[in-house]
Amino acid sequence: MRVLLTGSAGFIGSAIAARLEAAGHEVVKVDVMLPQAHGTSAPPSGTLPLDVRDAATSRAWADALAGVDAVCHQAAVVGAGVRVADLPDYAGHNDLGTAALLAAMHENDVDRLVLASSMVVYGEGRYACTTHGRQVPPHRSVAALEAGDFENHCPRCGNALGWETVAEDARLDPRSSYAASKLAQEHYTSAWVRQAGASAVALRYHNVYGPAMPRDTPYSGVAAMFRSSLEQGRSPQVYEDGGQMRDFVHVDDVARANVLALESVTAGGEGRYAAYNVCSGRPVSVLDVARQVAAGSGREIEPEVTGGFRAGDVRHVVASPERAASGLGFTAAVLPEKGLRDFATAPLRA
C-alpha cells in the first residue's frame, strides 16, 4: 500500500511512518515543519516540506498524491487553544488544511483517509447521578473552582456526579478552539465521504505519551511536563486535586491503531465513515500519572497538588475501548502502569 502521511516528522507521525515501513508499505512523507513543533529543524531526509493548506492548488501536492492508495492525516496545530488569539491558527491549519487536502484527494482520485482526531471533541466526559441517572453537567464555575469544588454536579439535586466511560456515540461538546477545529475536521471528512463516495476512519486519540515526545513545547503533554519537573529536581505540579480521570495511551499503540485503520479503509466499501476511540482502556487519575512517572524516574519526590486550575479544562473524560476492539481489532498492548514508568527514562525530542 502506498500511503501519504501528513505530519510525518511529528511525535505521532514518525511512529506511524516507522510502523508502516516495517510492515512493507510505501510512505510518502509530508511535513511543513511548524516552528512551534519542530523549532528550526530542517525536514528529515525524504520528507516533502508541503503546507497542507496549499493542497488544493499546488502542483507539488498533485505529484505527491499520484499513485497513493490512502492518506493518513496527522498534521495539525495542537494544544489547549485557550487564547482567543489562537483561533486563526487552528482554523487555518486544521480546518482549511483538512478541507484543502480532501479537495486535492478527490481531484487526484484518492478516496481513502485515516484522520487524527481527539478526545477533546467530547468536551466533558459522560456522567451519572446515583439518584437521577445520566446527566449533562453545566460548565464548572470559576467561583466553584476557586473554592476547591472541582467535581461536576447533578443539575437536578446538586450531588457530585460519577464518571462513566465515553463511547463514540456520546454527545460532542468542544470546549476550546483546538477542540472545535478537531470536530470540524471530522465534519468535513464525513461530508467528503458522502459527496465523494469515499471511505474514512477518524481516530479519537486520548492522552498520547511515549518515546520521542517533544519536551517543553506547546505540543508536550502532561506526562512530559511531569517528567521535566522531576529532571529539574522539582515536584510535579498537579492541578485541581489530582482526581481528574483520563486514559493514557502509548504512542506505539496509536501507531498500530493507524495501520489497522488504513487496512480497514482500503478494504472497506464506499461511503463508509467511522470514528473510534484510541485508548488504553485503563483509566488513571492525573495524580497517579505523576506518581507513576516519579516512580519510574527513581526519584522519591511526591507530586504537589496545587489546587490550581484552568477554567477551560474538563474534569473527567475516560474512553470506552469497545468499538475499536470490535471494529478495528485494536486493543492496547502497553498499559499505563508499565508505560508511564518506562516513559520516565525514555528519550524525548528537544
Side-chain angles (χ1 to χ4, degrees), residues 41-233:
S41 300
S45 177
T47 302
L48 300 173
L50 302 178
D51 191 326
V52 72
R53 294 172 294 181
D54 300 330
T57 57
S58 166
R59 180 70 251 173
W61 269 100
D63 292 342
L65 286 163
V68 163
D69 298 301
V71 170
C72 186
H73 184 31
Q74 304 295 313
V77 172
V78 305
V82 295
R83 299 186 309 140
V84 174
D86 295 330
L87 281 164
D89 272 349
Y90 288 106
H93 288 279
N94 299 0
D95 300 0
L96 174 60
T98 298
L101 176 62
L102 294 171
M105 289 172 65
H106 182 61
E107 186 67 24
N108 291 279
D109 299 319
V110 182
D111 59 359
R112 299 291 184 266
L113 176 73
V114 172
L115 170 70
S117 187
S118 171
M119 69 176 194
V120 297
V121 300
Y122 297 120
E124 283 284 1
R126 185 169 273 176
Y127 295 88
C129 173
T130 55
T131 302
H132 298 105
R134 189 167 289 167
Q135 298 291 321
V136 176
H139 290 199
R140 299 184 295 168
S141 71
V142 171
L145 295 170
E146 287 177 339
D149 179 8
F150 302 116
E151 295 295 349
N152 285 296
H153 293 270
C154 176
R156 296 179 64 183
C157 67
N159 289 334
L161 295 170
W163 60 267
E164 296 181 341
T165 58
V166 178
E168 290 82 353
D169 60 357
R171 172 176 173 266
L172 304 180
D173 182 23
R175 300 291 183 91
S176 68
S177 48
Y178 170 58
S181 73
K182 297 309 288 184
L183 184 54
Q185 286 183 304
E186 287 202 31
H187 287 327
Y188 280 120
T189 298
S190 62
W192 169 79
V193 164
R194 292 189 297 272
Q195 291 178 275
S199 180
V201 166
L203 298 178
R204 294 173 181 164
Y205 302 157
H206 285 252
N207 295 267
V208 186
Y209 70 98
M213 195 171 191
R215 178 194 298 273
D216 301 328
T217 79
Y219 285 58
S220 297
V222 66
M225 290 186 281
F226 290 159
R227 175 178 155 157
S228 292
S229 295
L230 288 161
E231 289 173 344
Q232 296 163 17

